[in-house]
Amino acid sequence: MNMQFARELPKGIQKITDLPNGDLAALWGSIILDDLLKKQLLSQAVLNFTVRPNVPRSVLPLHGVLLLVGPPGTGKTSLAKGLANRVAEVFKSSNFRLVEVEAHGLTSSSMGKTQRAVADLFAQTVAELASGGPTIVLLDEVETLAVDRSKLSMDANPVDVHRATDAVLVQLDLLAEAHPNLLFVATSNFPEAVDSAFISRSDLVIEIPLPNATACRKILEDCLTGLSAIYPKIGQLTKHPKFEACASEFVDLDGRTIRKTVANALAADPTVAMAPETVTIEQIAAAARAARKSRAKKEGK
Ligand SMILES: Nc1ncnc2c1ncn2[C@@H]1O[C@H](COP(=O)(O)OP(=O)(O)OP(=O)(O)O)[C@@H](O)[C@H]1O
Ligand SMILES: [Mg+2]
């Protein structure tokens, strides 16, 4: 099935990608993370397709759900998509597909319709896709779909929101039973807002941390090396005597902010913006200091 055009996509689905896919392979590689964490993630996803179809649920109650939690910008969405591709690569299969769910589209339906939309998405669309071959479904920002019911006040939130969470849970149970070749990879940066029954159904909850000092350095290096494909002189900055000191300015920042900070340095002034290859190591370090300062201010430190 080739669903290249958005208008052909079923409601609630943002994108369907046939795997393996080169862009997603690059994405997995671009996320600098402890190798053990990446391995654990991949192993659990592979297990879903090896063990889950064969072992009765009374023995191993697997639901086919992985949950990635962690601060914003730590690479959760990129990892989830890249993971789907890695799984297809491991199985040397061209049958796998990545399905990206558009949670906001469902929950913004008018009052009384969210529950129906969620139920339809899982019971019909996802079930149909899973019948067509091994399917990995990305539930990005899952707290919008599986809202923690215990924290919802009935006054502030329509009963519809509660019911939508109920529908997700019911459907996860049904799909787990009927479709062993289905894997959900969910992400959240508000794990406390995710319903505990959803967390309980997750086969693995994995915390994606902020990058440590070594990872920050590697992300900076990867970013500058990436830029060197277009601006060769920028690549030379990774060999600059002040590179290590510059990299240490990035500690405490998340991966997204590190990359954005490099972009900010390229906009240090209009001359650099016009000729990005003239950016200096000092300008990059200064941009990192500014980013850390603005973060500290936001966190009230
Ligand atoms: N550990 C990392 N190594 C390299 N790049 C990273 C890392 N973490 C984040 N990035 C970069 O930051 C950007 C954002 O990543 P992504 O959207 O996957 O983060 P996220 O955790 O899903 O964020 P959010 O919680 O806000 O949705 C990407 O361009 C990614 O390459
Ligand atoms: Mg994300």
Side-chain angles (χ1 to χ4, degrees), residues 83-201:
L83 174 68
N85 185 66
R86 282 295 294 132
V87 173
E89 284 177 358
V90 167
F91 283 98
K92 298 187 172 53
S93 163
S94 53
N95 279 337
F96 280 76
R97 265 181 315 199
L98 169 64
V99 175
E100 295 173 44
V101 165
E102 218 268 286
H104 292 284
L106 292 175
T107 49
S108 61
S109 323
S110 60
M111 173 69 180
K113 291 204 178 134
T114 308
Q115 180 194 13
R116 183 78 257 151
V118 169
D120 285 352
L121 170 74
F122 284 85
Q124 292 172 23
T125 313
V126 172
E128 250 166 54
L129 288 164
S131 302
T135 305
I136 299 175
V137 179
L138 172 64
L139 296 179
D140 215 11
E141 300 173 13
V142 74
E143 70 278 354
T144 53
L145 271 185
V147 188
D148 186 346
R149 294 161 299 174
S150 69
K151 296 210 178 95
L152 287 176
S153 84
M154 275 293 179
D155 303 336
N157 296 277
V159 71
D160 197 37
V161 178
H162 292 244
R163 292 211 181 120
T165 302
D166 295 340
V168 170
L169 298 171
V170 169
Q171 293 304 328
L172 279 183
D173 286 338
L174 292 172
L175 289 169
E177 203 73 61
H179 294 282
N181 61 354
L182 178 61
L183 174 67
F184 288 97
V185 186
T187 77
S188 179
N189 46 37
F190 295 109
E192 64 287 353
V194 182
D195 194 79
S196 56
F198 181 89
I199 294 182
S200 162
R201 277 162 179 74

Side-chain angles (χ1 to χ4, degrees), residues 14-55:
Q14 198 165 37
K15 197 172 177 188
I16 299 178
T17 311
D18 290 329
L19 303 174
N21 172 289
D23 290 344
L24 296 184
L27 206 53
W28 175 260
S30 76
I31 300 300
I32 315 259
L33 185 73
D34 184 349
D35 264 352
L36 283 176
L37 273 185
K38 273 193 176 178
K39 259 192 204 152
Q40 189 187 7
L41 204 51
L42 179 60
S43 313
Q44 188 76 37
V46 167
L47 180 96
N48 181 71
F49 295 98
T50 53
V51 167
R52 201 162 79 80
N54 297 311
V55 177

Side-chain angles (χ1 to χ4, degrees), residues 30-32 71-78 141 189 219 255-256 259:
S30 76
I31 300 300
I32 315 259
T74 46
K76 300 176 297 296
T77 303
S78 311
E141 300 173 13
N189 46 37
I219 297 170
R256 178 188 286 135
R259 293 184 190 272

